[in-house]
Amino acid sequence: MNIIAPSMKAAFFSLLYIFSLFNLISLFLILGSNAGRPPPYQRKFQSEAVDNYIAQLSAKMKDPDLAELFTNCFPNTLDTTVEFTPGTRPNTFVITGDIPAMWLRDSSGQVMPYITFANQDPKLKDMLLGIIFRQADSINIDVYANAFNFADEGSPHQGDNRHPPMNKRLFEGKYELDSLAWVMKLSAAYYRQTQDARMCTDSSWKSAIRKIYSAIVYQQKSTWNMSSTDPLYYSFSRVTTSQIDTLLNSVGVPGQQCGLSKSPFRPSDDAHRLPFPVAANAMASVSLSEISSILKVSGPCQDLQTANELEALSNQIKQAVQKWGIVAHPVHGLVYAYEVDGYGSNYVMDDANVPSLLSLPFLGYLPIDDPTYQRTRNLLLSNSNPYFFSGTAGEGIGGPHVGYGYIWPMSIINRALTTTNDSEILYSLNVLKLSSAGTGFMHESFWKDNPATFTRSWFAWCNSQFGELIATLAKTKPYLILKT
């Protein structure tokens, strides 16, 4: 029954018009701020193979605004964030953009789209291998840290009360299971493309894989069965006014052993609400299996003992995801929860950062048409998800990291990557164009009613993922974006 008076409707649509007009004016004022790519002499790393691909694909695109975004975004990591040191053991440091530190998660996602060009460009191949070596060296410094410095610069987080203790090589010391999964994902993708045995014969890389395995297994324990005297014990607390930047009693909400592996912090760097993240465990299961497959192949990479251990852990985690991660929702039926605790409690939501529940097909955990995933997806893209926001500038998923009302373009990208519906893809592309607010790049988030109000103008991971979306559509649905 309609209980809204006509006068109230008129007022509502008047406000809607004002908001839309404000958006247009804001965009008009900043349209001239698109600086595009830096000139060649200012680019941190150049790949002829990547540049040729950008030129060829952008020339074929029928929407000039999308083509401009692709031209700017796809190479943004190479243009602005890479410090490459060539040599017999190459070393590459990759900053996130406006934060001068290397996140294990971000650096992996930032360069994933370039792997397909590795065999066409030896320098690019070495640069990618240098990232893998740098990540391995970082894990050998501290398996639980999420972000690292170039050298011993320290950071504002050196005062965090943490076990293992902070040191000046760490920018931040939050343990996030997905960081380890991303490291394995990048290594596996690189080896599949290149068959480069320099990776898996490197002693630091092999040591890092062992440490990743041990950390994931240890974090499967019940909270109350962990002791501060254990070699792999982890605790964290920070003096802060934000509850998502520290852990309850330094260890987080307790979890009961169930086959899943704990992660005190999320892919957003926010503290968990419940200790077992379903999407991160799903990603870890896939990544462990991928590395296991590499180590089974006859030749210099073969390590059957480690391969079998990784495969067993992958299977155990996958079984636990299916047993504990699927819960009954009163509206949507059986769906994947975002977090569980092994005691029977669950938290149904999603966060924009990857791994997310929305991104499960993108991560290779399940097919798009999986019935449980489809029910989950319908929930996530509705008001049943507390972090799904809708406004005059579009709709999408955000998260507590930035706060209420801010939509993350990354969630819109993953929405487009996890559907076969042409209309949904085109809608997502239009919102992504609007979200750039005339700057020529993606951002961390934007206000649901005004894309000119955004966070992080230099967020390289999202730029890479936007480029990856366009490259994917050019292969799978060329008629949507390319000239006939």
Side-chain angles (χ1 to χ4, degrees):
M1 182 172 66
N2 187 351
I3 60 173
I4 302 177
S7 60
M8 293 177 65
K9 282 187 176 181
F12 171 76
F13 284 113
S14 295
L15 286 172
L16 186 61
Y17 172 77
I18 292 170
F19 274 123
S20 300
L21 184 62
F22 178 72
N23 287 346
L24 290 172
I25 293 172
S26 298
L27 288 176
F28 177 77
L29 290 173
I30 63 175
L31 276 175
S33 65
N34 178 3
R37 297 182 68 181
Y41 69 90
Q42 290 183 350
R43 295 172 189 171
K44 305 286 283 185
F45 186 93
Q46 296 186 61
S47 166
E48 185 176 351
V50 173
D51 285 341
N52 288 341
Y53 175 75
I54 293 168
Q56 293 166 9
L57 181 55
S58 60
K60 298 176 183 177
M61 295 177 68
K62 54 188 176 183
D63 184 330
D65 294 328
L66 274 183
E68 181 182 38
L69 277 173
F70 174 72
T71 299
N72 292 343
C73 291
F74 191 67
N76 183 244
T77 286
L78 299 179
D79 287 351
T80 66
T81 72
V82 170
E83 291 290 346
F84 173 55
T85 304
T88 54
R89 189 177 187 270
N91 188 298
T92 310
F93 188 79
V94 182
I95 65 173
T96 68
D98 54 10
I99 306 175
M102 180 169 169
W103 262 253
L104 296 177
R105 169 184 55 255
D106 290 44
S107 60
S108 298
Q110 284 171 245
V111 301
M112 285 292 290
Y114 308 135
I115 287 177
T116 188
F117 306 100
N119 291 330
Q120 304 172 36
D121 186 336
K123 184 181 176 184
L124 177 66
K125 182 178 178 180
D126 276 0
M127 188 277 287
L128 293 168
L129 182 61
I131 296 172
I132 291 169
F133 286 158
R134 183 82 186 207
Q135 290 179 340
D137 294 346
S138 298
I139 285 170
N140 284 316
I141 292 170
D142 192 319
V143 72
Y144 286 139
N146 59 327
F148 294 82
N149 294 316
F150 182 79
D152 294 335
E153 298 97 339
S155 77
H157 306 306
Q158 292 299 310
D160 291 345
N161 186 4
R162 179 181 182 270
H163 187 283
M166 291 290 292
N167 66 72
K168 290 187 177 181
R169 292 305 297 267
L170 310 186
F171 182 85
E172 192 170 47
K174 293 177 176 176
Y175 173 52
E176 299 153 6
L177 170 61
D178 71 278
S179 293
L180 305 184
W182 270 109
V183 167
M184 292 188 288
K185 181 178 177 65
L186 178 63
S187 290
Y190 175 83
Y191 186 80
R192 277 197 308 270
Q193 183 70 26
T194 65
Q195 301 295 300
D196 186 352
R198 289 181 296 169
M199 179 191 83
C200 45
T201 56
D202 182 77
S203 60
S204 180
W205 186 85
K206 290 190 285 187
S207 172
I209 294 299
R210 293 300 312 177
K211 288 189 175 182
I212 288 172
Y213 170 80
S214 297
I216 293 175
V217 169
Y218 179 77
Q219 291 297 333
Q220 289 180 300
K221 286 188 173 187
S222 298
T223 303
W224 308 129
N225 289 336
M226 294 175 160
S227 169
S228 59
T229 60
D230 295 341
L232 282 169
Y233 183 76
Y234 178 82
S235 65
F236 180 100
S237 65
R238 174 180 293 174
V239 177
T240 176
T241 58
S242 173
Q243 67 183 44
I244 61 175
D245 252 349
T246 192
L247 297 178
L248 177 68
N249 299 323
S250 299
V251 294
V253 177
Q256 173 76 8
Q257 186 166 351
C258 62
L260 298 172
S261 189
K262 291 191 291 298
S263 183
F265 291 92
R266 296 172 174 173
S268 58
D269 300 329
D270 300 331
H272 66 211
R273 187 160 175 176
L274 295 176
F276 298 113
V278 173
N281 272 272
M283 183 183 185
S285 174
V286 173
S287 296
L288 286 162
S289 178
E290 290 174 336
I291 296 298
S292 174
S293 296
I294 293 171
L295 299 182
K296 288 179 180 178
V297 177
S298 296
C301 295
Q302 190 175 67
D303 181 347
L304 293 180
Q305 179 180 341
T306 300
N308 291 334
E309 289 174 338
L310 297 182
E311 182 180 31
L313 180 57
S314 169
N315 291 334
Q316 184 183 42
I317 291 175
K318 185 172 184 177
Q319 291 171 8
V321 167
Q322 296 304 112
K323 179 178 180 178
W324 292 93
I326 298 175
V327 301
H329 189 274
V331 175
H332 297 273
L334 293 177
V335 298
Y336 285 100
Y338 187 72
E339 292 168 342
V340 299
D341 66 359
Y343 290 103
S345 297
N346 63 79
Y347 187 28
V348 176
M349 59 156 280
D350 205 16
D351 187 285
N353 285 267
V354 179
S356 60
L357 295 176
L358 183 65
S359 68
L360 287 178
F362 169 74
L363 297 171
Y365 183 74
L366 41 67
I368 288 176
D369 61 358
D370 178 88
T372 305
Y373 172 73
Q374 281 298 316
R375 289 190 296 271
T376 306
R377 193 176 189 276
N378 290 336
L379 182 156
L380 302 178
L381 298 174
S382 77
N383 291 332
S384 294
N385 174 9
Y387 293 102
F388 177 79
F389 305 121
S390 180
T392 59
E395 64 179 28
I397 298 170
H401 190 73
V402 174
Y404 174 81
Y406 279 86
I407 299 168
W408 289 52
M410 189 173 291
S411 76
I412 301 169
I413 293 168
N414 278 284
R415 180 175 185 173
L417 286 167
T418 58
T419 184
T420 58
N421 185 291
D422 290 354
S423 296
E424 189 174 15
I425 293 170
L426 290 173
Y427 169 79
S428 299
L429 291 174
N430 283 329
V431 175
L432 288 168
K433 282 196 301 181
L434 181 65
S435 79
S436 71
T439 65
F441 294 95
M442 293 291 103
H443 304 128
E444 179 188 51
S445 70
F446 64 94
W447 177 244
K448 62 185 180 66
D449 295 318
N450 182 12
T453 301
F454 57 79
T455 61
R456 297 191 68 182
S457 60
W458 182 16
F459 184 36
W461 180 20
C462 194
N463 287 326
S464 289
Q465 202 176 37
F466 175 80
E468 188 171 8
L469 168 63
I470 297 299
T472 299
L473 292 175
K475 292 179 181 179
T476 60
K477 290 182 176 285
Y479 58 90
L480 290 182
I481 63 170
L482 302 184
K483 301 171 186 174
T484 55

